[in-house]
Amino acid sequence: MKCSSFGANTASEDEKDLRLVSLDVSLYKAYVEGFTKGCGSSMTARERELLPEGALVMTYECGLRFLTDYLAGDVYFKTDYPEHNLVRCRTQFMLLADMVKKLPQMRTCL
């Protein structure tokens, strides 16, 4: 797996070929298991239940931040080429779309 803004992404955060971008549910499950184990009894049942939606919101937020930075002239994130943040935005939104499709599977990981 390549480095990405979301560790369960099958592609890098700046993958231009959006066909390569998807959620690896098995990696998502591993993260959920590790996170909930680390939290122990401090998480409520409702917090556990909302973990999949939290992952969607964080992915959406990251995509929006890349888009905002692109529109602002790339002043926050370091970029390697002029459309880098726009590519990152598109990658995050493609990942988000796949996550929405796989939300039922994500919920079974709890």
Side-chain angles (χ1 to χ4, degrees), residues 4-5 8 11 41 43 52 73 85 94 96-97 103:
S4 66
S5 294
S41 61
M43 284 185 77
N85 278 325
M94 180 59 72
L96 177 63
L103 189 56

Side-chain angles (χ1 to χ4, degrees), residues 3-15:
C3 178
S4 66
S5 294
F6 181 66
N9 186 351
T10 59
S12 65
E13 79 173 9
D14 54 4
E15 177 59 59

Side-chain angles (χ1 to χ4, degrees), residues 10-12 14-22 87 91 94:
T10 59
S12 65
D14 54 4
E15 177 59 59
K16 291 180 181 180
D17 185 351
L18 297 179
R19 296 171 298 176
L20 301 176
V21 177
S22 67
V87 168
T91 301
M94 180 59 72

Side-chain angles (χ1 to χ4, degrees), residues 65-66 68-79 85:
R65 290 183 69 204
F66 285 135
T68 300
D69 196 39
Y70 170 75
L71 294 173
D74 301 318
V75 295
Y76 184 78
F77 294 106
K78 181 185 179 302
T79 58
N85 278 325

